[in-house]
Amino acid sequence: MKRYIGLVHHPIINKNGEIVTTSVTNLDIHDIARSARTYGFDGYFIITPLEEQHKLVTRILDHWNTDVGNAYNPDRQDALSFVELKNSVEDACSEIERREGSSPAIVVTGANFKDDSGQENAILKQIKLDKKPLFLLFGTGWGLAQSVIDRADFMAPPLAGKAKDGYNHLSVRSAVAIYCDRFTQYID
Ligand code: SAM
């Protein structure tokens, strides 16, 4: 099953529930690229409409894609080589459709979902039946905006913590790695 990851920076909600555009975090570029590469994903889209952010991310990617960066850490360069920038979730979906010949099944993630689409293997079973690529979407800030969640095909079951006081604040990088492992164990 072809599979892609998207990290959304707009539309995102902030702590006041307002729709905002978050800035790209350098660590998210590197760490999520490495998780995606490790688990055999076919692409990682960094989604932001801000031209300035595109320039920033491109500068970082260019650094690692040069001979210097490659010589210093070829594994890092290898992971970063399939990071791409897109202005919107729609643009990323169009790119996936162009490559795979089918629009992707969007699976959104969030810590505060009140309900979900069932366990990862059940979600994947349906996606396989639909013969669609998987597109795992992650948020930033305080989570994905409702408009993104509403247009998704599936809602992944939130990662439930074990903290007795209910503390559950994973970084998106950690959440990505956990979901990559959970979803790919059901993908041959
Ligand atoms: N309260 C926000 C939420 O409900 O997702 C936390 C945002 S967290 C900093 C950024 C992203 O990491 C989330 O949009 C989601 O994609 C992922 N994430 C973080 N913790 C998660 C969890 N416990 N379960 C599922 N996804 C999580």
Side-chain angles (χ1 to χ4, degrees):
M1 179 185 287
K2 289 300 184 102
R3 46 193 182 271
Y4 294 81
I5 282 177
L7 182 65
V8 179
H9 296 85
H10 181 85
I12 288 294
I13 52 169
N14 67 7
K15 63 180 174 186
N16 303 320
E18 298 152 330
I19 300 291
V20 295
T21 304
T22 55
S23 296
V24 176
T25 304
N26 195 341
L27 272 177
D28 292 346
I29 303 173
H30 294 266
D31 285 9
I32 295 175
R34 290 162 75 168
S35 294
R37 186 76 175 76
T38 299
Y39 283 95
F41 278 73
D42 299 280
Y44 166 29
F45 293 108
I46 293 178
I47 297 165
T48 174
L50 301 182
E51 185 52 36
E52 271 315 300
Q53 294 285 291
H54 282 231
K55 286 180 187 158
L56 167 77
V57 175
T58 302
R59 265 201 310 276
I60 293 166
L61 296 179
D62 286 349
H63 168 75
W64 288 100
N65 286 327
T66 60
D67 295 344
V68 170
N70 188 11
Y72 175 71
N73 187 332
D75 295 335
R76 181 81 69 92
Q77 190 270 343
D78 188 349
L80 289 174
S81 59
F82 80 162
V83 177
E84 291 177 76
L85 280 155
K86 286 296 175 193
N87 285 322
S88 65
V89 172
E90 291 70 22
D91 286 357
C93 288
S94 301
E95 177 61 20
I96 294 170
E97 182 167 7
R98 187 188 65 78
R99 288 187 200 173
E100 309 301 346
S102 163
S103 60
I106 297 177
V107 180
V108 289
T109 60
N112 300 329
F113 288 171
K114 297 294 173 277
D115 57 15
D116 59 63
S117 307
Q119 292 307 305
E120 290 84 359
N121 58 338
I123 292 173
L124 282 175
K125 197 169 169 187
Q126 185 58 52
I127 295 175
K128 273 182 193 163
L129 285 174
D130 298 340
K131 295 187 175 43
K132 283 177 168 276
L134 164 66
F135 189 20
L136 258 183
L137 271 192
F138 295 86
T140 49
W142 266 255
L144 293 167
Q146 194 58 44
S147 59
V148 177
I149 297 168
D150 291 346
R151 65 152 291 170
D153 300 288
F154 302 95
M155 297 170 70
L159 302 173
K162 297 277 188 194
K164 288 188 175 44
D165 62 358
Y167 181 90
N168 183 344
H169 296 285
L170 290 168
S171 73
V172 65
R173 295 176 297 283
S174 303
V176 167
I178 295 167
Y179 277 117
C180 281
D181 190 72
R182 287 196 180 174
F183 273 97
T184 53
Q185 65 182 303
Y186 302 108
I187 296 176
D188 44 20

